[in-house]
Amino acid sequence: MSNNKIVRLPASEQIPTIMKELQTAVDTLKEMGAGVSVFGSARIKPGHPYYELAQKLGRRLAEAGVTLIAGGGPGLMEAANKGAYEAGGQSVGLNIRLPHETTNNPYQTHSLQFEYFYSRKATFFMHSWAYIALPGGFGTLDELFEVMTLVQTGKVPPAPIVLIGTSFWSGLIDWIGEHVMEMGLIGPKDLNLLVLTDDLDEVMGYINQCCVLPRAEPALPQ
C-alpha cells in the first residue's frame, strides 16, 4: 500500500522565505514606481491571436512609459513581456517555481523569483495601478478574482480591471450577473469594476485616464 500522505512545511518555516521574497520585490521595484499587471495563460503558443494581442499590449504600455508587470512564464505572460521588452520599456517578470514551467521567459528587464504564490500575488497588488487579464486558466482566474475582491473591499485603491477577450470572458460575466448578483451575493454595482473589450485603444484610454500618477511607491494593501 503506497504512502500518499501530504508532507508540508510548518508555517514557521515558510514565513521567512515569504518575507524575504516580499522585501526583495520592494527593493527591486521601488525605483520604477507602480506599473500595470498583465495576467494570462502560460499555455497559449506564439502565433495564436491572443499571443499577438498580448505582445501588442506590452508594446503599447512600454510606448506609453508604463512599467509592465507579468508572471514571467511562457504563453501570454511571455508575449506581454516580449512586447514591452522589445519596445525598450520596463518589463518585470514575477517568476514562480513550478515543476512544469522550468524556465523564465527571456524578455525581462527586472526578474524576480518566487517560491510562494502568496508573496508573488502580493507583489502584483502592492505595485500596480491597473490590472489587465487576458484569457487563462485557474491561475489567471485566481489573480482576477483576488484583485476584484481587494478593490471591492477597499484593501487596495480603486483601479481599472480590464478583461481582454470578449468571446472568452463574456460567458463568465453573464453568469456572475445572472446568478451571483441575482442572488444578492455581490452588489448591483460590483460588475462595474470590470471593463470588457478587445480594443487596445480603449484599454490604453483607461490606463492613461486612471494611471497618470507620480512615480512614488503605492500604498500597501491594508
Side-chain angles (χ1 to χ4, degrees):
M1 184 175 180
S2 63
N3 184 350
N4 293 321
K5 290 183 179 180
I6 296 173
V7 178
R8 60 184 298 171
L9 286 175
S12 60
E13 294 184 29
Q14 297 178 51
I15 288 172
T17 299
I18 290 171
M19 292 176 64
K20 182 178 178 181
E21 290 177 347
L22 287 169
Q23 187 62 58
T24 299
V26 169
D27 293 341
T28 300
L29 302 179
K30 65 182 178 181
E31 297 301 327
M32 66 185 69
V36 171
S37 283
V38 177
F39 308 131
S41 173
R43 303 189 184 196
I44 292 179
K45 306 297 184 184
H48 191 283
Y50 284 136
Y51 188 100
E52 296 176 358
L53 188 60
Q55 188 173 343
K56 291 178 182 176
L57 171 66
R59 183 175 68 245
R60 291 286 298 271
L61 290 169
E63 290 171 348
V66 176
T67 297
L68 179 140
I69 306 173
L76 300 186
M77 294 177 284
E78 174 186 285
N81 278 137
K82 184 177 181 180
Y85 185 88
E86 292 185 342
Q90 301 274 23
S91 179
V92 178
L94 307 186
N95 308 279
I96 185 77
R97 294 184 180 90
L98 296 174
H100 56 280
E101 292 178 23
T102 56
T103 59
N104 307 329
N105 77 64
Y107 306 106
Q108 303 176 36
T109 59
H110 297 75
S111 182
L112 292 162
Q113 198 71 38
F114 293 86
E115 184 68 34
Y116 292 99
F117 277 109
Y118 179 92
S119 43
R120 180 177 182 251
K121 287 196 296 180
T123 298
F124 277 119
F125 306 137
M126 289 163 59
H127 296 276
S128 298
W129 293 120
Y131 307 87
I132 300 172
L134 292 119
F138 288 157
T140 301
L141 293 170
D142 175 47
E143 291 157 344
L144 171 62
F145 277 100
E146 181 153 353
V147 75
M148 288 169 63
T149 301
L150 292 171
V151 173
Q152 179 206 45
T153 57
K155 292 299 182 179
V156 298
I161 306 172
V162 181
L163 306 181
I164 296 179
T166 54
S167 62
F168 180 85
W169 293 111
S170 57
L172 174 64
I173 300 306
D174 291 343
W175 177 81
I176 292 174
E178 293 170 8
H179 296 281
V180 182
M181 189 166 66
E182 187 68 23
M183 291 180 64
L185 306 179
I186 60 173
K189 296 182 179 180
D190 285 341
L191 273 180
N192 294 339
L193 296 172
L194 301 173
V195 175
L196 180 61
T197 184
D198 293 317
D199 186 343
L200 293 187
D201 288 335
E202 186 176 359
V203 174
M204 294 309 301
Y206 283 109
I207 300 303
N208 290 328
Q209 178 181 354
C210 301
C211 304
V212 180
L213 298 167
R215 282 189 170 275
E217 288 193 37
L220 302 181
Q222 298 176 358

